[in-house]
Amino acid sequence: MAHIAHLAPDQALASLRSSQQGLGADDAARRSAEFGPNRVEAATRVAPWLAFLREFTHFFALILWLAAALALMADHYQPGSGMRPLAFAILGVIAVNGVFSFWQSWRAERALAALRELLPQRVRRMRDGLEKTVDAAELVPGDVIMLGEGDKVPADCRILATDGIRINLATLTGEAQARSGIADAVDEHDPLAARNLLLAGTLVVSGNATALVFATGMRTEFGRIAHLTQTAGEPESPLQREIRRVSRIVAVLAAALGVVFFAIGRAIGLPFWDTFMFAIGVIVANVPEGLLPTVTLSLAMATQRMARRNALVRHLPAVEALGSTTVICSDKTGTLTENRMAVRRWHVAAGVENAPDSLRAVAGQCHDLRFAAGEASGDPMEIALWQFAGQPAQTPRCGEMPFDADRRRMSVMHAVGDAVLMRCKGAPESVIGCCSTRWTASGEVPLNHAERKELAQEQEAMAAEGLRVIALAEGRFEHATPPQEAGLCFVGLIGLEDPPRADVAEAVARCRVAGIRVIMVTGDHPSTAVAIGREIGLVRGTAPTVLRGESIRRMTPAQLQLALDAPEVICARVSAEQKMLVVQALQRKGEIVAVTGDGVNDAPALKTADIGIAMGRSGTDVAKEAADLVLLDDHFGSIVNAVEEGRAVFANIRKFLTYILTSNIPEVVPYLAFVLLRIPLPLTVIQILAVDLGTDLLPALALGAEPPRDDVMHQPPRQRGERLLNWPLLLRAYLWLGLIQAALAMTAFFAVLHQGGWRWGEPLAAQDPTYLAATTACLAAIVCAQVANLFVCRDPREAAWRLPLRGNRLLWIGLACELALLALIVLAPPLQSLFGTAALPLALWPWLAAGALLLFVLEEGRKAWLRARQRARPMLR
């Protein structure tokens, strides 16, 4: 059977066994049962209970589950060892982190739900010859519906009759220009190009039509693209990959050390359970229990900062992924531009200053706009012309010739005394062909061949600037003479554009400085895309590489990857699948890709990208569903602000990762000394927990809240292969800062033992005052050293005193809480009983402070040495 676009209206009705009176009730009921409701199915969602459980079963959570299980096992075989409180504390960490992560995602989804409302809810439908307004979900193939200005098309339809209907296809094609619809058969196979078809989700900007529904729900073009979005896989963000990698490294390291030290203990003759307890202590000491909640809270705080800058984060890892972005693939209409037409320039006869009254009169009166409370509604192009004319009051009409695709122009008639004044606008080649004269400063003059050629050249010059060119003309006829679109007087040309957003040029420039490529990927015409690209600074060379959608479709993956190597690339006339191909090709090149967009046609690429960014105001429901980030103000400049926040997140995670991992060494060394040196255990498991989930937590979170450095957007983006946990970080944390802290902690422990009269080899009871004071001194030395570590970890190279202290209020709060918690653990009797501590002599505290100062001096000396080497390298070259 022929495609429905190829059929005449009567044939189209017959092909669906319908009529101008619509379907009968019984036939409609059968079709409703067969085809189902006219609804685009929501993306398959994970059940809330399953999404909740996933927060407790990822790799790092499993490590914590294992640590808790080992602690409970040890407590079972050796009660009173302090392992039971440790197990419950770890379980508390798992619970708090899981609930918080789920709540953050749920809250973002609730905020997004308020933005959902794309397809119309009510529509006028013929059924058994009677017109009735019904829910759009009730439509079935074969229904006859009526559409008018302002309606959203509820299903894919074939136009049966029309009175100047014009459709905005931006949500499907990315083009802002409205397109006229016709009822005649067309020889066109692409439904997006067939002018006698109305597609679901598009908007009627003017006119009206009677149409035959031929596809509903997921069978529509809208539904097909939505399905393409839903079947695109969920890519793992760079941060998720790195956290998974860090989790594995930590798990392997902790398990390996536990096994090694268990073997050492057995080799030197320690009892099995003592050795087993020792191994569990080593494992627990090397699992940074505070890492997961600190990462989650740090990301959540970043989402709050971004929300204040009008960016709604749907998935927490998207915050950091945006910071590592190397390429932004941006839609044009509604993203880089304002999605509204505006007059940019006009052309009239030489010697005429400003726009003549006749030009403004035609622009302001020749349209199909509707007015309510003084506001115009209808085709954005006609609204722009009306505003250009000064928003004139409307003169009563005595006749009209509506726009149609064959004539490509429209005319309106006004009675002026004993004559009729015709005002005409349309495509230049159509309108100029109806003109015999031209209006000049001297009046009407014949329009000769040379002047026609000049007008054609001016039209081409405007089009080369990406403008939509409209010609305007007028003619005066006697009442006795029927007005005809012939013998008119040419008035002028007007060039309209969809203007760029005010902040886009600055945002593009910031991206360029930050080393981020911006590639325009649009469904619009190549010349329009290039012109907008030049205006916003996206195109600076003479010949940018323009990839058309059809060319992209024919390219092999290798060809497309090589084509995207060009320094300036614009992809024009692309479909949803072709946008996705561009994103995938960039990802194969090792790029971290962010995609912006607002239309249904953007959704598959949004889903495929490392991070999808949808427009909250103008964006469609499908686009928002596919995105990781929704811009509530639709400003492209907000993306650059979000990139800045994302870059700070990655740097901050490294800072608190260094801070947290540093304390692992002074937590492990006491166990190693306990086994190898046969001394009392310098640090108990519950005291390790006091550091990991107590004193360290808020300071680490403060490092995660560090504001972006001033130069963060002057650095190139990190490479896809760059690791969060790398060798320099591990060496600094474990073999430098960690060893310094371990030396300070063990020195404090032995100093207190020596003052208490302990002799090497003497056993000490767990409640011996000297032993309690010694372990307290070990714990206090670690915490004091971590106070100094908090400041040196703010930057891996810059001197701590050069960093501003006022930009991060949480830094001082974390420091105060750290010291207050230490004081409570040391001095408060209930916490002394829980953590096995005792009050320390006042004379010891200055020495602990001096130890912290020593760590600060040694680390700042290392930084100064690194900076000196870096300055010396250019001189050596």
Side-chain angles (χ1 to χ4, degrees):
M1 180 180 292
H3 190 281
I4 195 166
H6 303 164
L7 304 176
D10 290 343
Q11 293 173 318
L13 285 165
S15 70
L16 290 172
R17 289 181 292 174
S18 184
S19 69
Q20 294 282 0
Q21 281 67 47
L23 297 171
D26 293 339
D27 193 11
R30 285 193 298 271
R31 298 190 188 195
S32 179
E34 178 178 353
F35 293 99
N38 176 39
R39 186 180 300 120
V40 175
E41 298 170 9
T44 304
R45 295 181 179 275
V46 177
W49 65 268
L50 185 57
F52 183 73
L53 288 181
R54 284 183 177 177
E55 300 294 344
F56 300 90
T57 55
H58 52 78
F59 193 78
F60 199 84
L62 294 177
I63 295 174
L64 296 181
W65 282 112
L66 180 60
L70 290 174
L72 286 174
M73 182 187 300
D75 180 77
H76 175 75
Y77 288 102
Q78 197 169 3
S81 61
M83 287 293 185
R84 182 180 292 270
L86 171 64
F88 286 117
I90 294 174
L91 292 176
V93 169
I94 298 171
V96 169
N97 186 76
V99 170
F100 184 83
S101 296
F102 177 77
W103 173 75
Q104 179 72 21
S105 299
W106 178 82
R107 190 177 66 164
E109 288 301 322
R110 292 283 296 174
L112 189 66
L115 302 173
R116 293 175 189 150
E117 193 65 31
L118 181 62
L119 290 181
Q121 298 300 304
R122 307 288 287 176
V123 63
R124 291 180 295 148
R125 179 193 65 189
M126 293 292 291
R127 185 69 59 83
D128 286 325
L130 299 176
E131 180 181 326
K132 186 178 180 181
T133 301
V134 298
D135 288 341
E138 297 180 15
L139 294 180
V140 296
D143 268 328
V144 174
I145 63 174
M146 283 66 71
L147 296 170
E149 178 190 330
D151 289 339
K152 286 181 179 176
V153 181
D156 285 357
C157 307
R158 167 68 165 85
I159 297 175
L160 300 176
T162 178
D163 182 11
I165 193 167
R166 303 184 72 192
I167 303 294
N168 188 319
L169 298 172
T171 57
L172 289 178
T173 66
E175 290 189 63
Q177 297 179 4
R179 187 182 72 189
S180 61
I182 61 174
D184 297 334
V186 298
D187 186 17
E188 179 61 63
H189 295 278
D190 182 2
L192 291 171
R195 292 172 50 217
N196 58 2
L197 301 184
L198 305 177
L199 301 179
T202 57
L203 177 68
V204 179
V205 295
S206 64
N208 53 71
T210 301
L212 171 69
V213 174
F214 67 87
T216 58
M218 295 301 288
R219 299 173 184 84
T220 62
E221 188 70 15
F222 183 101
R224 186 186 68 81
I225 297 177
H227 176 71
L228 184 66
T229 303
Q230 294 165 14
T231 54
E234 284 281 1
E236 190 178 38
S237 77
L239 180 61
Q240 287 173 318
R241 289 193 292 269
E242 284 303 296
I243 292 297
R244 176 165 50 82
R245 178 176 173 272
V246 169
S247 302
R248 288 176 176 172
I249 291 174
V250 167
V252 170
L253 182 62
L257 288 175
V259 170
V260 169
F261 289 143
F262 179 83
I264 293 173
R266 294 296 291 159
I268 63 176
L270 285 179
F272 176 83
W273 283 112
D274 288 348
T275 309
F276 184 67
M277 285 288 296
F278 162 68
I280 290 178
V282 169
I283 292 173
V284 171
N286 275 278
V287 174
E289 292 88 355
L291 174 62
L292 200 59
T294 306
V295 170
T296 303
L297 288 171
S298 177
L299 292 175
M301 291 169 65
T303 67
Q304 296 305 310
R305 293 196 301 269
M306 292 170 72
R308 289 193 292 270
R309 302 174 93 171
N310 292 310
L312 172 66
V313 178
R314 297 185 61 213
H315 307 120
L316 283 180
V319 178
E320 187 279 329
L322 187 59
S324 58
T325 296
T326 59
V327 178
I328 298 176
C329 291
S330 176
D331 184 32
K332 179 185 73 68
T333 305
T335 306
L336 297 174
T337 66
E338 297 179 0
N339 197 18
R340 64 178 180 85
M341 300 298 289
V343 174
R344 179 175 172 183
R345 56 177 291 193
W346 60 88
H347 173 78
V348 292
V352 177
E353 296 183 1
N354 300 319
D357 292 339
S358 57
L359 185 71
R360 295 188 183 275
V362 177
Q365 299 292 338
C366 185
H367 55 67
D368 283 326
L369 297 178
R370 304 291 183 270
F371 296 89
E375 293 293 326
S377 63
D379 189 333
M381 183 267 292
E382 293 189 331
I383 292 177
L385 291 173
W386 177 71
Q387 291 173 337
F388 163 76
Q391 304 181 9
Q394 298 306 293
T395 305
R397 300 177 183 179
C398 60
E400 181 178 341
M401 296 181 182
F403 179 91
D404 67 50
D406 294 329
R407 291 166 40 248
R408 293 192 297 163
R409 60 183 180 270
M410 74 169 293
S411 298
V412 297
M413 279 73 81
H414 303 278
V416 181
D418 294 333
V420 173
L421 182 63
M422 172 181 283
R423 293 181 170 119
C424 175
K425 80 169 192 300
E429 55 271 27
S430 172
V431 173
I432 293 173
C434 299
C435 297
S436 59
T437 61
R438 180 179 185 178
W439 189 91
T440 68
S442 304
E444 289 189 37
V445 299
L447 186 62
N448 57 38
H449 177 74
E451 289 177 326
R452 291 178 189 273
K453 186 175 180 181
E454 174 201 334
L455 292 176
Q457 291 173 344
E458 182 64 28
Q459 176 194 348
E460 290 179 4
M462 285 187 176
E465 296 178 16
L467 303 180
R468 182 180 183 184
V469 186
I470 302 295
L472 296 92
E474 63 180 10
R476 185 180 295 268
F477 300 88
E478 299 298 327
H479 274 298
T481 305
Q484 295 182 355
E485 293 176 319
L488 302 179
C489 175
F490 176 79
V491 176
L493 298 174
I494 288 181
L496 301 102
E497 70 166 351
D498 180 8
R501 293 185 179 275
D503 57 352
V504 166
E506 179 188 355
V508 169
R510 291 180 66 193
C511 286
R512 194 182 299 277
V513 171
I516 301 171
R517 294 179 68 198
V518 180
I519 297 177
M520 186 190 298
V521 185
T522 178
D524 219 330
H525 192 278
S527 63
T528 303
V530 171
I532 292 293
R534 290 193 188 283
E535 189 168 349
I536 63 176
L538 191 61
V539 175
R540 298 191 297 180
T542 57
T545 298
V546 179
L547 301 177
R548 291 176 176 263
E550 192 61 28
S551 300
I552 292 172
R553 185 184 64 81
R554 292 195 299 265
M555 287 181 179
T556 65
Q559 287 176 320
L560 182 55
Q561 286 179 230
L562 292 173
L564 291 170
D565 283 335
E568 294 179 343
V569 176
I570 286 180
C571 301
R573 293 296 194 205
V574 293
S575 66
E577 295 93 335
Q578 290 153 4
K579 287 190 179 187
M580 195 162 61
L581 289 175
V582 170
V583 172
Q584 290 170 339
L586 288 167
Q587 288 173 326
R588 286 194 299 270
K589 293 171 68 65
E591 306 283 3
I592 296 177
V593 185
V595 170
T596 72
D598 58 356
V600 176
N601 61 316
D602 300 315
L606 289 170
K607 190 73 171 287
T608 304
D610 293 288
I611 177 167
I613 307 168
M615 302 297 131
R617 290 181 179 176
S618 61
T620 61
D621 185 55
V622 174
K624 295 168 194 169
E625 285 284 352
D628 301 292
L629 190 76
V630 179
L631 297 183
L632 301 180
D633 60 356
D634 285 13
H635 284 180
F636 183 84
S638 297
I639 299 172
V640 186
N641 295 333
V643 168
E644 186 177 32
E645 292 286 355
R647 288 191 174 187
V649 164
F650 186 82
N652 290 346
I653 291 177
R654 275 189 168 170
K655 293 172 188 176
F656 69 65
L657 197 57
T658 304
Y659 179 83
I660 288 174
L661 293 180
T662 294
S663 62
N664 280 7
I665 299 301
E667 291 170 356
V668 170
V669 167
Y671 278 86
L672 184 60
F674 167 68
V675 172
L676 298 180
L677 303 180
R678 300 295 184 94
I679 62 171
L681 182 62
L683 196 68
T684 65
V685 173
I686 196 68
Q687 288 169 349
I688 291 174
L689 191 66
V691 175
D692 288 350
L693 296 179
T695 59
D696 269 4
L697 197 56
L698 273 178
L701 188 57
L703 289 173
E706 284 279 278
R709 292 282 303 275
D710 293 338
D711 62 347
V712 70
M713 292 301 287
H714 294 272
Q715 306 296 326
R718 68 181 181 87
Q719 297 300 312
R720 179 179 283 267
E722 185 176 345
R723 299 300 187 185
L724 180 65
L725 183 62
N726 55 17
W727 281 111
L729 188 153
L730 281 173
L731 292 175
R732 182 186 178 209
Y734 281 165
L735 298 185
W736 177 244
L737 294 172
L739 287 180
I740 294 173
Q741 285 195 13
L744 296 174
M746 295 305 296
T747 299
F749 176 74
F750 283 123
V752 173
L753 285 183
H754 179 71
Q755 286 183 346
W758 175 78
R759 295 293 179 267
W760 201 280
E762 290 180 2
L764 283 175
Q767 297 303 315
D768 187 295
T770 299
Y771 176 69
L772 292 177
T775 59
T776 304
C778 183
L779 171 64
I782 295 173
V783 175
C784 289
Q786 284 288 79
V787 169
N789 195 30
L790 175 64
F791 291 96
V792 299
C793 281
R794 293 185 69 200
D795 195 278
R797 289 181 178 269
E798 191 63 50
W801 57 83
R802 296 185 182 275
L803 303 175
L805 294 175
R806 294 184 179 181
N808 187 359
R809 186 176 58 179
L810 192 58
L811 194 73
W812 298 107
I813 296 174
L815 180 62
C817 291
E818 185 173 31
L819 294 175
L821 186 55
L822 175 62
L824 289 173
I825 291 173
V826 172
L827 300 174
L831 294 183
Q832 285 178 337
S833 175
L834 175 62
F835 291 101
T837 58
L840 296 175
L842 290 176
L844 182 61
W845 288 102
W847 290 103
L848 295 177
L853 182 60
L854 177 63
L855 181 143
F856 184 88
V857 171
L858 290 174
E859 170 61 4
E860 288 302 325
R862 184 194 69 86
K863 289 184 184 179
W865 177 73
L866 284 177
R867 291 195 299 271
R869 284 191 61 191
Q870 190 172 18
R871 287 193 297 268
R873 281 175 184 169
M875 296 174 62
L876 292 174
R877 292 194 186 101

